[in-house]
């Protein structure tokens, strides 16, 4: 252990780490690493598609929470972990640095499974993708209203029918209903 309190690094500061910050208060010297000074409330993020929520609303500001729990915030991404040496590599705008830890909590969230061609689709993460999808879908309706004959212009597919996919379908339906009213194209044509 380095010093009287162990050094705990939180790699990623989303849902998991926010709870950990509270639990570790006063128990350790805590360093929280995240690319941005905010994380995203995933449970709220599907509503970005219908426009019911904005990016500002779904973002969880981290700085206040980190400071209130006596931890230090370092912006950047963890790119390598060297468990033998108990060090990690942090890449940030300030450059590349090596940090030492006693304990490391890795909470970087989930990656999407690689699917060939996924780069042509919108994804659920990062949340900005849902805002881009909303803009795209609105544009498709506007193009259809201007007579664009592209087949499938108003056909939208949600890939994945679990809880998140089902939520997205509801938000997509609301967006299409709004665009139907805005453009005068019957909803049944989508
Ligand atoms: C649409 C949707 C709806 C959901 N709804 C619910 C719900 O209703 N209830 C529920 O319990 N769960 C829900 N979940 C699941 C829940 O969001 C996750 O289980 C939870 O966020 C996982 O927490 P985490 O801390 O592991 O990761 P996250 O909360 O994803 O946080 C990861 C953090 O790590 C950062 N990061 C990523 N890479 C690096 C790196 N290399 N270095 C440093 N930082 C990095 C990210 O920027 C992010 O801030 C939902 C998920 C989705 C996608």
């Amino acid at each position: 252990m380095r010093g009287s309190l162990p050094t705990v690094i939180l790699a990623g500061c989303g849902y998991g780490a926010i709870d950990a910050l509270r639990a570790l208060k006063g128990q350790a010297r805590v360093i929280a690493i995240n690319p941005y000074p905010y994380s995203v409330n995933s449970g709220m993020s599907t509503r970005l598609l219908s426009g019911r929520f904005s990016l500002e609303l779904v973002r969880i500001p981290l700085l206040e929470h980190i400071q209130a729990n006596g931890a230090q915030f370092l912006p950047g991404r963890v790119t390598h972990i060297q468990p033998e040496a108990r060090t990690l590599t942090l890449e940030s705008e300030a450059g590349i640095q090596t940090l030492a830890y006693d304990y490391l909590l890795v909470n970087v969230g989930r990656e999407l499974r690689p699917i060939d061609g996924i780069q042509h689709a919108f994804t659920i993460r990062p949340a900005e993708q849902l805002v881009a999808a909303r803009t795209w879908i609105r544009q498709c309706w506007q193009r259809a209203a201007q007579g664009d004959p592209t087949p499938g212009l108003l056909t939208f597919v949600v890939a994945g029918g679990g809880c998140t996919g089902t939520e997205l379908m509801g938000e997509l339906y609301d967006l299409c209903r709004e665009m139907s009213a805005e453009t005068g194209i019957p909803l049944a044509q989508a």
Side-chain angles (χ1 to χ4, degrees), residues 11-17 33-36 38-40 42-43 45-46 76-78 107-110 124-125 164 167:
C13 203
Y15 266 34
I33 298 174
N34 203 67
Y36 314 103
Y38 55 80
S39 196
V40 165
S42 317
S45 66
T46 48
R77 281 184 186 277
V78 175
N107 327 275
V108 294
R110 269 186 73 174
I124 190 88
R125 284 181 176 176
T164 298
E167 267 181 41

Side-chain angles (χ1 to χ4, degrees), residues 7-12 31 33 78 80-83 86-89 99-107:
T7 297
V8 178
I9 296 188
L10 307 179
I31 300 171
I33 298 174
V78 175
H80 297 90
I81 298 167
Q82 299 87 23
R86 293 200 180 193
T87 58
L88 60 77
T89 308
L99 300 175
Y101 59 80
D102 294 303
Y103 299 98
L104 175 65
L105 261 79
V106 180
N107 327 275

Side-chain angles (χ1 to χ4, degrees), residues 5-190:
L5 288 176
T7 297
V8 178
I9 296 188
L10 307 179
C13 203
Y15 266 34
I18 287 172
D19 257 3
L21 275 169
R22 263 187 232 118
L24 288 166
K25 187 176 183 182
Q27 313 284 319
R29 177 180 165 250
V30 180
I31 300 171
I33 298 174
N34 203 67
Y36 314 103
Y38 55 80
S39 196
V40 165
N41 183 330
S42 317
M44 291 165 72
S45 66
T46 48
R47 293 188 173 87
L48 291 168
L49 191 65
S50 60
R52 201 168 285 140
F53 288 171
S54 65
L55 272 176
E56 288 65 36
L57 200 63
V58 305
R59 283 179 179 159
I60 305 166
L62 293 175
L63 289 184
E64 208 176 297
H65 190 68
I66 289 170
Q67 282 158 8
N69 286 290
Q72 181 192 354
F73 175 65
L74 286 181
R77 281 184 186 277
V78 175
T79 55
H80 297 90
I81 298 167
Q82 299 87 23
E84 299 293 321
R86 293 200 180 193
T87 58
L88 60 77
T89 308
L90 171 67
E91 276 189 32
S92 68
E93 281 184 5
I96 298 175
Q97 53 181 307
T98 302
L99 300 175
Y101 59 80
D102 294 303
Y103 299 98
L104 175 65
L105 261 79
V106 180
N107 327 275
V108 294
R110 269 186 73 174
E111 292 288 322
L112 287 164
R113 291 206 185 98
I115 299 173
D116 193 25
I118 204 167
Q119 68 273 21
H120 303 295
F122 294 102
T123 50
I124 190 88
R125 284 181 176 176
E128 286 78 4
Q129 282 270 306
L130 288 170
V131 178
R134 173 178 163 78
T135 304
W136 172 261
I137 292 166
R138 286 182 55 83
Q139 285 168 352
C140 288
W141 279 87
Q142 284 153 359
R143 281 165 53 196
Q146 286 158 9
D148 186 331
T150 306
L153 190 59
L154 295 184
T155 301
F156 308 107
V157 177
V158 176
C163 295
T164 298
T166 308
E167 267 181 41
L168 271 179
M169 291 292 280
E171 301 300 321
L172 178 59
Y173 177 79
D174 285 351
L175 174 57
C176 286
R177 201 170 46 174
E178 175 196 318
M179 290 312 294
S180 167
E182 197 175 306
T183 59
I185 299 173
L187 186 57
Q189 284 189 25

